[in-house]
Amino acid sequence: MSTRRIKVCKSVRLAKIENQNNRQMTFSKRRNGVFKKANELAVMTDAEVGIIVCPQGSLPYSFGHPNVNETISKYVGEERPPSPSSPGIDDKYVQMFRKANSREHNTRLNSLQDQLVFALNLKRKLKQMNKKVESHQEWFKCPIEKMNYTEASMLEDLLLKVKNYGIERGYGYENGKWKAE
């Protein structure tokens, strides 16, 4: 008499996984499994398959056979072909779902557009500020003849500070040269 091992499927408790790392790992593994099964279904039955998975706080993942965009737009777009298996069933609810989903996506799109405009304005302001700072940092590089009164007085103050700094450290300044005392 031979003994065989039988693989037993464990039942998994369906509840939210609290640990973030475990939740992400489970999501990744199960997402790949669902996409693999969808691919098998499409290949074996020559069916069109389109799946979008949207985890919280992340970008959506999609799978489609032959192409996810074509498949989804065919059934969710403006012109939807009638389904031979369910002609006219729950069209009212499908339209309500589309409108709600459309509102949600429009709200998200508007929010992202607002964030983009804010970021572009911030970038423009930072560039302007950077130009101002660069121009203020290099005022002393222009010829003395081209300096205005404020710049010339700032240069004079800077020269006095350098002289005082050198003198405090034990250096003398005569005839435009430093010498150790």
Side-chain angles (χ1 to χ4, degrees):
M1 192 173 190
S2 68
T3 59
R4 290 184 176 170
R5 291 190 171 217
I6 300 173
K7 186 175 177 181
V8 178
C9 293
K10 292 187 230 175
S11 63
V12 177
R13 181 178 65 97
L14 293 178
K16 180 179 178 181
I17 299 172
E18 296 302 324
N19 185 319
Q20 177 68 28
N21 292 334
N22 292 347
R23 186 176 345 152
Q24 181 61 35
M25 181 65 70
T26 301
F27 172 80
S28 179
K29 287 181 179 179
R30 293 216 174 190
R31 181 195 68 223
N32 291 337
V34 167
F35 287 173
K36 183 178 177 183
K37 289 291 183 184
N39 186 43
E40 290 172 5
L41 176 67
V43 170
M44 291 183 350
T45 64
D46 197 28
E48 290 186 49
V49 178
I51 299 174
I52 299 176
V53 181
C54 303
Q56 276 188 336
S58 181
L59 296 174
Y61 297 90
S62 62
F63 170 83
H65 184 81
N67 181 334
V68 70
N69 293 331
E70 290 175 15
T71 304
I72 292 176
S73 66
K74 186 184 228 181
Y75 294 98
V76 179
E78 292 293 323
E79 297 176 18
R80 188 176 130 223
S83 172
S85 62
S86 59
I89 293 182
D90 295 348
D91 267 348
K92 174 183 168 186
Y93 297 109
V94 170
Q95 294 300 327
M96 287 172 50
F97 175 75
R98 280 192 196 143
K99 285 180 182 176
N101 207 10
S102 176
R103 273 188 240 116
E104 182 180 325
H105 287 299
N106 284 338
T107 303
R108 177 85 171 124
L109 177 63
N110 289 338
S111 171
L112 290 173
Q113 285 175 334
D114 290 345
Q115 290 176 10
L116 178 62
V117 167
F118 177 77
L120 291 174
N121 285 337
L122 184 62
K123 179 182 176 183
R124 182 180 48 78
K125 287 178 183 177
L126 288 173
K127 278 186 175 182
Q128 288 174 349
M129 290 172 62
N130 194 19
K131 284 181 183 178
K132 285 182 182 178
V133 168
E134 286 175 357
S135 68
H136 286 297
Q137 288 176 344
E138 298 182 6
W139 60 267
F140 55 87
K141 289 184 179 180
C142 69
I144 294 175
E145 296 82 24
K146 292 185 180 180
M147 288 185 184
N148 61 29
Y149 176 76
T150 307
E151 291 169 343
S153 64
M154 288 171 61
L155 186 60
E156 188 177 20
D157 290 344
L158 180 62
L159 182 61
L160 286 173
K161 286 180 183 177
V162 170
K163 284 181 181 177
N164 290 337
Y165 181 82
I167 292 169
E168 288 172 1
R169 305 278 178 298
Y171 295 97
Y173 187 80
E174 288 181 11
N175 300 328
K177 294 183 181 180
W178 290 100
K179 61 180 183 177
E181 291 183 331

